[in-house]
Amino acid sequence: MWSLFLRDIRLSIRAGGGALIGAIFFLAVIVTIPFGVGPDLNLLSRIGPAILWIAALLACLLGLDRLFQADREDGSLDLLVLNSDRHMLALTVLTKCLAHWTGSVLPLVVAAPLLGLFMNMEPLGIGATALTLFVGTPAITFIGAAGAAVAVALPRGGLLISVLVLPLTIPVLIFGVSASYGAVADPAPFLQPFLILAALTLFLAVLGPLAAALALRHGTD
């Protein structure tokens, strides 16, 4: 599993520069927002956590089609499916999800504090948003694995993955933004939505790879 993890990280970096493309897209969305809403610094500070989360969500969806595509093209995906039972295949998918998150999504989390300065956010709000992104974005990857497994056999499945995954990520987005606002808005709580966000990630870490494994096995059959 460790060899698979390192292999997938190398592939995510080499195959089209997934981490770089996601970071550039993330930056482009954040930079474009002030031109759309105007130069009101108070407004930018108020909507900053939501904008960071939405931009990160869209950037995460951008590279999900590459999660199984390289393995599909070289035939290794068929070997993984045929030589593994359901539970081992789910563990393999979990490893690939963690590698994909480390190579393509973690750079977005690292860049979020810097981009929060563009939105005139307070240091506490920047830290809270980065923390919620660190905890919540793996859930998006786990959900996306199921969508990527369904569409892996299609020649142009990237758009279909986004259509399938985006509605399912709304709870993650809601609790991530709520926790980010709760850190800077006094009446709003931080701990409760943050704990729910962490629970969603842990729950999807089990459900997502299992669903993806079933979809891959069904697609192979």
Side-chain angles (χ1 to χ4, degrees):
M1 291 303 171
W2 178 248
S3 300
L4 179 63
F5 179 81
L6 295 178
R7 168 186 173 271
D8 276 21
I9 289 181
R10 289 193 296 266
L11 285 176
S12 68
I13 294 174
R14 282 185 314 190
L20 181 60
I21 292 175
I24 292 175
F25 180 82
F26 191 38
L27 174 63
V29 173
I30 299 300
V31 171
T32 304
I33 293 300
F35 293 100
V37 302
D40 189 344
L41 295 180
N42 292 328
L43 177 60
L44 291 176
S45 177
R46 195 161 58 247
I47 66 174
I51 297 303
L52 285 176
W53 255 98
I54 292 173
L57 171 60
L58 296 177
C60 289
L61 296 179
L62 194 63
L64 286 176
D65 59 325
R66 294 191 303 271
L67 192 57
F68 302 111
Q69 195 61 44
D71 295 326
R72 174 77 178 182
E73 291 171 354
D74 63 14
S76 58
L77 181 62
D78 294 331
L79 294 177
L80 288 174
V81 173
L82 294 176
N83 295 332
S84 302
D85 58 23
R86 183 177 61 183
H87 299 292
M88 283 302 298
L89 183 58
L91 183 59
T92 300
V93 173
L94 176 63
T95 303
K96 293 178 69 65
C97 288
L98 294 177
H100 174 79
W101 180 84
T102 302
S104 299
V105 183
L106 185 58
L108 308 181
V109 180
V110 174
L114 178 61
L115 297 180
L117 297 176
F118 286 100
M119 304 299 293
N120 195 40
M121 293 172 58
E122 301 177 6
L124 181 60
I126 292 176
T129 303
L131 179 61
T132 57
L133 286 172
F134 180 79
V135 173
T137 48
I140 300 173
T141 303
F142 296 138
I143 297 172
V150 171
V152 67
L154 301 179
R156 297 177 129 184
L159 181 59
L160 177 61
I161 295 173
S162 298
V163 172
L164 292 175
V165 170
L166 188 58
L168 300 177
T169 59
I170 291 177
V172 179
L173 178 65
I174 290 174
F175 289 108
V177 174
S178 298
S180 301
Y181 279 127
V184 293
D186 195 15
F190 168 77
L191 186 60
Q192 289 87 341
F194 179 77
L195 291 177
I196 294 176
L197 180 66
L200 281 173
T201 298
L202 294 175
F203 174 72
L204 291 169
V206 177
L207 183 62
L210 282 175
L214 289 174
L216 289 174
R217 189 170 295 280
H218 178 73
T220 302
D221 294 338

